[in-house]
Amino acid sequence: FHNNDKKRVLRFDMNTNFLNSLTNFLKKRTFEFVGLLLISLGIALTISFATYSPSDPSFVYGESNSEIKNFFGIFGSKISDFLLQSFGLISFLILFTLISWGLKLIFEKELKNIIFKLLFLILYLIFGCTFLHTTFNNSFWLIDNGNSGFVGKIGYEFLSTWFPYIDNTYSAYGLLLLTLIFFIFSADLNIKKIITGTFSMIASLFRRKENTIHDVNLETS
């Protein structure tokens, strides 16, 4: 009877270990799959933004008989128009955020504090659009709502009621600083690693150049 109990316990442990291993495997593969989806979405949006044309159909103007210039056709033109008209040039930060999240899921198999990251994303969109509205809103590319999108206009009107000096140069610097801070938090960028990696890359390039310099023979016959 004692031997049978040991066998049952051993079987149970083996089954538990197998289930745990299977669960961890599926969990990691799921994170990697979602990461690939986010990176693919970021790249697709980048291509869609790069081929965006104001003359293409949009949610506002509807269908058009003219040739669609967007790489992804009418779907790409409507999505890119919605994002660019809403958030202006700050929409490009969304692309970097999506790709950063995807890389985190693929290599680290986790994405911590996703609720806070989404909150920081909303905050950098608001402050970034407001910054562009106060400094660099005129655009020949985004002719309807300018470089700040309509979110920049709404953010400016709201903040100007509470902060009358928002047009001040220092206020613009403050908005830019807040945008960068919230973007870094949202994209979960490790600034220390980025700076260290950049300096290491520059140092390696200089080392390679030094190694390629040959000794010059100054002796004359």
Side-chain angles (χ1 to χ4, degrees), residues 74-119:
I74 189 169
F75 179 77
S77 69
K78 289 188 175 183
I79 294 296
S80 58
D81 182 79
F82 172 76
L83 291 173
L84 291 171
Q85 296 302 332
S86 299
F87 309 112
L89 298 180
I90 300 298
S91 300
F92 286 92
L93 294 184
I94 300 177
L95 312 181
F96 290 110
T97 303
L98 291 175
I99 293 174
S100 176
W101 288 355
L103 292 174
K104 286 282 182 182
L105 288 172
I106 291 175
F107 292 105
E108 298 182 9
K109 306 298 186 291
E110 62 178 355
L111 191 61
K112 298 178 180 178
N113 303 320
I114 186 62
I115 301 299
F116 286 104
K117 285 180 172 59
L118 290 173
L119 174 62

Side-chain angles (χ1 to χ4, degrees), residues 140-198:
F140 295 102
W141 187 45
L142 305 175
I143 54 179
D144 293 326
N145 294 297
N147 290 325
S148 66
F150 68 79
V151 171
K153 181 180 179 182
I154 295 172
Y156 173 80
E157 292 175 351
F158 175 78
L159 292 176
S160 61
T161 58
W162 298 95
F163 303 100
Y165 300 103
I166 193 172
D167 290 317
N168 190 289
T169 303
Y170 296 106
S171 298
Y173 287 144
L175 289 171
L176 177 60
L177 181 61
L178 288 172
T179 302
L180 293 176
I181 290 173
F182 289 128
F183 168 68
I184 290 170
F185 286 154
S186 177
D188 201 8
L189 300 177
N190 191 322
I191 300 300
K192 184 178 179 180
K193 283 186 178 180
I194 294 174
I195 295 174
T196 304
T198 303

Side-chain angles (χ1 to χ4, degrees), residues 14 24 34 52 59 61 63-64 70 96 115 171-172 215 221:
M14 291 178 62
N24 290 331
V34 175
Y52 168 77
F59 287 110
Y61 296 107
E63 302 293 335
S64 173
N70 197 283
F96 290 110
I115 301 299
S171 298
D215 294 333
S221 54

Side-chain angles (χ1 to χ4, degrees), residues 111-137:
L111 191 61
K112 298 178 180 178
N113 303 320
I114 186 62
I115 301 299
F116 286 104
K117 285 180 172 59
L118 290 173
L119 174 62
F120 293 143
L121 184 147
I122 294 172
L123 290 174
Y124 82 62
L125 287 176
I126 294 173
F127 288 117
C129 291
T130 306
F131 165 75
L132 286 179
H133 188 83
T134 59
T135 58
F136 186 59
N137 191 45

